[in-house]
Amino acid sequence: MFIIKHNMSNFTEDNFHEIKSEPNWLVTWCIRFVFFSLLGLIVLLFYFLPILFFIDHTIDGEQLLAFGMIYYPLLIVLSYFVVRFLKRRKRKSIRHIKVNCEGVFYELIDGTEESLRFDQFEISSNDHIVYDVFIDSKLQFTGDATYRQAYLKVFLKGNEQKVRPFHPDVAYSYYAGNSRKLRNHFIQGVTLFRPDLRIAPNVYSEFSIHPETFEFDKKVYWQAVVFAIIFIILLFIGIEWYMKYRFGDSLIF
């Protein structure tokens, strides 16, 4: 059996084939184990917190009973609304993804399909945005750290339209091992089928996409990783020097 490998730089409008999301089950179950373990510990902590105060002798039995009569009903009601929210969100979770000559298609858990088609994209109608395909970002707070999440945007019906992530929902479907390839294929599809649209240069650098081959640019990726590591080291050194200068004491050492 011969396996034909396609070079993304050789794609044209005539041979731009369909790419589907491919599951990586090892990574999927590792992510699920870590996520659900942490979630379970947090839930148990909320439910056993008053008992821990009782065991620690911070409160006595009467105080535990009085507090529990208020705390647990509120916690149960809150848990009910959280479960309802998760059920509603599950119906719109992504099960499978495919990118072809028409655009990107998302198959949802409820059986419906969402799509972003190349022929629907429009030229920027915003005087402050000079590109038609560009990157926006928002801060995400995980509880332990804050990070910047970047995502693609296009113009649709005169408004900015966020492009959904190129990976299925890990909790309900799987982790796609080829999510980068899906996104790169989508960007190349824009260049082939909508050459009139202007793609922001930082789209390629942000997602480590080689602008000519549309393959994953490892050089750009590792440059960004090294730069981030150096920045963090310099930040800690700066904090250390400031602490010594301002308070005469070391924060780290």
Side-chain angles (χ1 to χ4, degrees), residues 209-223:
I209 302 173
H210 195 286
E212 295 179 0
T213 64
F214 293 92
E215 299 285 352
F216 173 54
D217 196 333
K218 295 181 180 180
K219 181 179 179 181
V220 173
Y221 175 77
W222 284 111
Q223 284 178 347

Side-chain angles (χ1 to χ4, degrees), residues 82-127:
V82 169
V83 171
R84 285 192 58 184
F85 169 76
L86 292 176
K87 284 185 176 180
R88 288 197 303 269
R89 184 172 180 178
K90 177 183 177 180
R91 292 196 295 268
K92 293 302 180 182
S93 297
I94 302 172
R95 175 183 290 167
H96 300 297
I97 306 171
K98 61 182 180 182
V99 179
N100 56 32
C101 60
E102 296 181 2
V104 56
F105 298 83
Y106 303 93
E107 180 187 334
L108 307 184
I109 297 293
D110 62 4
T112 60
E113 185 179 74
E114 292 184 0
S115 65
L116 278 177
R117 299 174 182 269
F118 297 133
D119 58 8
Q120 296 175 323
F121 298 167
E122 299 174 353
I123 295 176
S124 172
S125 58
N126 191 326
D127 296 334

Side-chain angles (χ1 to χ4, degrees), residues 40-56 59 64 67 71-72 75:
L41 288 174
I42 293 173
V43 172
L44 288 175
L45 178 62
F46 273 110
Y47 275 91
F48 283 97
L49 188 61
I51 299 175
L52 293 177
F53 281 123
F54 174 74
I55 295 174
D56 194 41
I59 59 176
L64 174 63
F67 179 74
Y71 178 78
Y72 284 108
L75 188 59

Side-chain angles (χ1 to χ4, degrees), residues 85-247:
F85 169 76
L86 292 176
K87 284 185 176 180
R88 288 197 303 269
R89 184 172 180 178
K90 177 183 177 180
R91 292 196 295 268
K92 293 302 180 182
S93 297
I94 302 172
R95 175 183 290 167
H96 300 297
I97 306 171
K98 61 182 180 182
V99 179
N100 56 32
C101 60
E102 296 181 2
V104 56
F105 298 83
Y106 303 93
E107 180 187 334
L108 307 184
I109 297 293
D110 62 4
T112 60
E113 185 179 74
E114 292 184 0
S115 65
L116 278 177
R117 299 174 182 269
F118 297 133
D119 58 8
Q120 296 175 323
F121 298 167
E122 299 174 353
I123 295 176
S124 172
S125 58
N126 191 326
D127 296 334
H128 302 289
I129 300 177
V130 297
Y131 296 104
D132 312 307
V133 181
F134 59 100
I135 283 181
D136 203 347
S137 62
K138 64 179 179 179
L139 293 177
Q140 294 280 9
F141 181 66
T142 62
D144 298 322
T146 301
Y147 69 97
R148 185 179 66 88
Q149 181 183 23
Y151 49 86
L152 280 171
K153 271 191 172 183
V154 297
F155 278 90
L156 202 64
K157 297 180 180 179
N159 297 313
E160 298 177 21
Q161 174 70 41
K162 178 181 175 182
V163 179
R164 296 191 68 166
F166 289 86
H167 53 78
D169 193 297
V170 179
Y172 305 115
S173 186
Y174 55 82
Y175 173 84
N178 64 338
S179 59
R180 288 183 183 275
K181 190 175 182 180
L182 288 166
R183 182 169 54 215
N184 297 2
H185 205 54
F186 173 78
I187 295 298
Q188 187 170 19
V190 175
T191 64
L192 288 175
F193 299 101
R194 292 300 307 273
D196 57 315
L197 299 181
R198 299 159 296 179
I199 301 176
N202 65 339
V203 168
Y204 298 97
S205 58
E206 180 70 31
F207 297 121
S208 303
I209 302 173
H210 195 286
E212 295 179 0
T213 64
F214 293 92
E215 299 285 352
F216 173 54
D217 196 333
K218 295 181 180 180
K219 181 179 179 181
V220 173
Y221 175 77
W222 284 111
Q223 284 178 347
V225 171
V226 171
F227 175 79
I229 294 174
I230 293 174
F231 174 78
I232 293 173
I233 293 174
L234 292 177
L235 179 63
F236 275 104
I237 292 175
I239 294 174
E240 178 74 6
W241 285 350
Y242 175 79
M243 293 296 293
K244 285 185 177 181
Y245 172 78
R246 182 69 175 79
F247 302 103

